[in-house]
């Protein structure tokens, strides 16, 4: 009984940490996409430069380490539970892992370029030639994460309140949909690495370039994935 109680207690602490870290990570994701990105479209050059040098690095620190803690606590919960959970949690977790990868392999490296370029200009130097491309690449990955966050949060909640039993066909179909969208969001970075010579083009942000667009696309993606899990 003591071991079971300890296991339950550890799981509860992990869930608490998972929740706190997730709120930090996703909250800052929404801040970047719904507030900061829109502000930068209208801000004067001096105000934007100051924000990129002083505000953005602080927000990105909490953003990326919130993502790390969310992932680690989530993996800890999986480790304690040992599998056997509803399909919803696996779909939600897969989306979250792609989001984590986007943070550390696309958004943060490209934001570092943009921050360094802004600092160089503030000192009287020239902007880095790659800064504009880095900003666009980071922006697309960030929009993709915002798109993903809406179904991710739904399926995390559905795992406890509207669970689906595992279906290989439904899971594979959901994974394929997610992979297509992740490919589009990561396309500029993969292309930069020289790995897209024979693959179809991607990197489009047409439908979720605006705040309303990404919210609507996220809701639509949630419905599509829900129907896949519900009917396949």
């Amino acid at each position: 009984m003591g071991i079971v109680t300890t296991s339950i207690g550890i799981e509860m602490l992990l869930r608490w940490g998972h929740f706190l870290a997730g709120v930090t990570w996703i909250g800052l994701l929404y801040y970047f996409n719904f507030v900061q990105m829109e502000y930068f479209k209208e801000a004067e050059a001096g105000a934007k430069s100051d924000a990129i040098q002083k505000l953005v690095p602080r927000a990105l620190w909490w953003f990326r380490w919130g993502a790390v803690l969310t992932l680690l606590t989530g993996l800890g919960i999986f480790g304690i539970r040992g599998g056997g959970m509803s399909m919803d949690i696996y779909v939600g977790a897969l989306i979250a892992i792609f989001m984590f990868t986007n943070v550390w392999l696309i958004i943060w490296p490209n934001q570092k370029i943009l921050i360094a370029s802004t600092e160089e200009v503030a000192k009287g130097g020239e902007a880095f030639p790659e800064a504009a491309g880095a900003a666009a690449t980071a922006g697309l990955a960030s929009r993709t994460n915002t798109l993903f966050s809406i179904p991710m949060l739904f399926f995390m909640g559905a795992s406890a309140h509207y669970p689906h039993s595992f279906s290989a066909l439904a899971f594979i179909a959901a994974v394929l949909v997610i992979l297509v969208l992740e490919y589009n969001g990561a396309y500029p970075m993969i292309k930069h690495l020289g790995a897209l010579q024979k693959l179809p083009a991607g990197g489009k942000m047409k439908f979720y370039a605006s705040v309303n667009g990404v919210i609507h696309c996220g809701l639509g993606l949630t419905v599509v994935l829900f129907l896949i899990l519900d009917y396949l």
Side-chain angles (χ1 to χ4, degrees):
M1 183 65 180
I3 294 175
V4 173
T5 304
T6 301
S7 237
I8 293 172
I10 292 172
E11 183 181 343
M12 184 59 227
L13 288 174
L14 286 169
R15 287 184 181 277
W16 180 48
H18 192 62
F19 184 77
L20 285 174
V23 167
T24 302
W25 177 19
I26 303 304
L28 282 166
L29 174 68
Y30 290 163
Y31 158 74
F32 286 133
N33 281 269
F34 300 158
V35 180
Q36 180 179 286
M37 195 178 291
E38 298 304 301
Y39 165 71
F40 281 172
K41 291 177 183 178
E42 302 176 2
E44 295 180 0
K48 182 176 178 180
S49 173
D50 187 68
I52 290 174
Q53 293 179 76
K54 299 174 184 175
L55 172 65
V56 172
R58 289 179 170 88
L60 283 170
W61 189 93
W62 288 98
F63 175 69
R64 66 184 188 273
W65 290 109
V68 169
L69 190 56
T70 303
L71 178 69
L72 292 178
T73 51
L75 291 175
I77 294 167
F78 272 107
I80 289 177
R81 294 294 296 272
M85 292 177 277
S86 76
M87 183 165 51
D88 308 79
I89 196 70
Y90 296 112
V91 171
L94 176 65
I95 295 173
I97 289 170
F98 277 123
M99 291 172 63
F100 172 86
T101 303
N102 290 340
V103 168
W104 279 93
L105 298 186
I106 303 177
I107 297 173
W108 173 231
N110 283 282
Q111 284 288 355
K112 284 195 292 184
I113 294 171
L114 181 60
I115 292 167
S117 177
T118 303
E119 290 173 343
E120 183 64 25
V121 170
K123 292 186 292 188
E126 295 291 328
F128 296 173
E130 66 271 28
T137 299
L140 176 59
S142 187
R143 273 291 200 256
T144 300
N145 273 12
T146 305
L147 171 78
F148 279 163
S149 71
I150 297 174
M152 182 272 293
L153 291 171
F154 175 84
F155 287 113
M156 290 297 183
S159 66
H161 301 288
Y162 195 91
H164 292 85
S165 56
F166 192 84
S167 159
L169 178 60
F171 186 73
I172 290 170
V175 169
L176 288 175
V177 171
I178 294 164
L179 282 173
V180 168
L181 293 169
E182 172 60 18
Y183 173 79
N184 178 74
Y187 181 87
M189 194 67 178
I190 304 172
K191 183 180 180 181
H192 177 71
L193 298 174
L196 291 176
Q197 289 83 352
K198 297 182 179 180
L199 294 176
K204 305 298 183 184
M205 197 163 60
K206 178 179 178 181
F207 296 108
Y208 39 92
S210 68
V211 170
N212 286 338
V214 75
I215 291 173
H216 292 152
C217 287
L219 293 172
L221 177 59
T222 304
V223 171
V224 168
L225 292 175
F226 174 79
L227 291 175
I228 288 173
L229 268 62
D230 223 33
Y231 289 101
L232 290 186

